[in-house]
DNA sequence: TTGCGTGCAAAGGTTTTGCATGGCA
DNA sequence: TGCCATGCAAAACCTTTGCACGCAA
């Protein structure tokens, strides 16, 4: 569970560079494997999975479990936007599968309400709103 | 995706009976398979999965994706709580697994807000709020 | 040199699918 | 009779793990 890297390896640097050049983008472990493979960069898939776990533990990237039976999504956390990500919500369209990022004061209030009135500490990282997007409605 | 049963089969009735005698309980597909196997009732696992999908589509049971890498949970929806369920939100404690039913005006407002401001039609049946309950906090 | 990180392959567990058979209407 | 549902087995899928080798410090 709690894994942090102690060595600075070439593979880790490459992976980190990939995220830094793709901020705000959701990618799966498979996407990353495929990208490196097609780029002629050889990094084993287990190395990718292990480094992803480390980066999540270190708070450098976030992991979202959008859906069972679809792979986990990873997203780079910009150093200067630490608070934003904490309060970012995700909406998943049940029809087209589109993932929408929401950052909204009203949702923050809703979260505070759940905490105060219902004694429930919502975890935005784990919670996904399911429904229909504008196009599919 | 959208599968609804057209025939009334013995297997479907048995599965439905299982849920009706276990209201409010969370079970996995594996649990159900194991239960029938140990009861000497032969129902193929694919039949169970396919019927579960149908029952979810028909709104007779709910499916919760508690965690990746742990199987999906299914729960019977009592007929007499149908209206409630439509506007009822679910909070799932990530630690103790407790499922809390919430019916609250503020959440209704939040839902209306998502619709009006973000053009997203939230589906309360499919959406589960993850976080920590009072005891586990 | 020490021990962590890597790569490969294989395992793990849940869910889906192909196909022939059986059963409902 | 015409489909749909079932059961079996195998595949698909994402992710984790075992192990020997390589590399960082």
């Amino acid at each position: 569970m709690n894994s942090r890297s102690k060595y600075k390896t070439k593979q880790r640097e490459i992976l980190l560079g990939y995220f830094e050049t793709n901020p705000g983008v959701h990618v799966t472990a498979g996407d990353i494997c495929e990208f490196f493979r097609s780029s002629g960069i050889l990094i084993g898939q287990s190395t990718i999975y292990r480094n992803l776990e480390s980066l999540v533990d270190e708070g450098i990237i976030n992991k979202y479990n959008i859906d069972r039976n679809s792979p986990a999504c990873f997203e780079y956390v910009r150093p200067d936007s630490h608070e934003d990500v904490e309060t970012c919500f995700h909406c998943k369209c049940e029809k087209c599968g589109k993932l929408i990022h929401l950052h909204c004061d009203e949702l923050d209030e809703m979260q505070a309400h759940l905490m105060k009135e219902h004694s429930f500490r919502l975890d935005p990282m784990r919670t996904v709103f399911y429904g229909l997007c504008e196009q599919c409605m």
Side-chain angles (χ1 to χ4, degrees), chain A:
Chain A
M1 270 284 159
N2 271 4
S3 71
R4 312 222 163 191
S5 56
K6 299 180 177 174
Y7 291 176
K8 178 188 254 188
T9 67
K10 205 178 64 181
Q11 290 85 346
R12 185 188 147 98
E13 291 304 299
I14 292 172
L15 186 57
L16 203 45
Y18 172 81
F19 275 109
E20 284 166 354
T21 56
N22 292 285
V25 173
H26 282 85
V27 286
T28 67
D31 291 338
I32 297 170
C33 289
E34 180 50 36
F35 174 77
F36 286 139
R37 196 178 310 122
S38 67
S39 301
I41 300 168
L42 187 129
I43 304 183
Q45 72 164 358
S46 47
T47 299
I48 288 174
Y49 274 99
R50 285 189 271 233
N51 272 303
L52 286 174
E53 190 186 352
S54 296
L55 292 172
V56 168
D57 282 347
E58 293 163 35
I60 295 171
I61 62 175
N62 281 333
K63 178 180 185 178
Y64 300 105
N65 294 322
I66 301 306
D67 217 350
R68 166 179 316 282
N69 292 354
S70 64
C73 283
F74 298 89
E75 178 194 32
Y76 180 58
V77 178
R78 283 190 219 69
D80 59 357
S81 69
H82 257 303
E83 301 114 321
D84 286 8
V85 169
E86 296 284 305
T87 55
C88 180
F89 289 87
H90 293 83
C91 297
K92 175 94 178 180
C93 179
E94 299 190 71
K95 197 161 184 186
C96 70
K98 188 166 58 186
L99 187 68
I100 304 158
H101 277 216
L102 274 192
H103 183 72
C104 170
D105 290 341
E106 190 128 347
L107 293 180
D108 294 347
E109 275 173 35
M110 184 270 297
Q111 190 174 359
H113 168 81
L114 278 179
M115 186 65 177
K116 213 165 63 181
E117 300 300 325
H118 304 283
S119 303
F120 189 79
R121 183 190 289 165
L122 181 66
D123 181 0
M125 295 273 293
R126 284 271 291 123
T127 301
V128 177
F129 294 97
Y130 290 94
L132 290 177
C133 75
E134 197 165 7
Q135 285 80 31
C136 296
M137 227 147 64

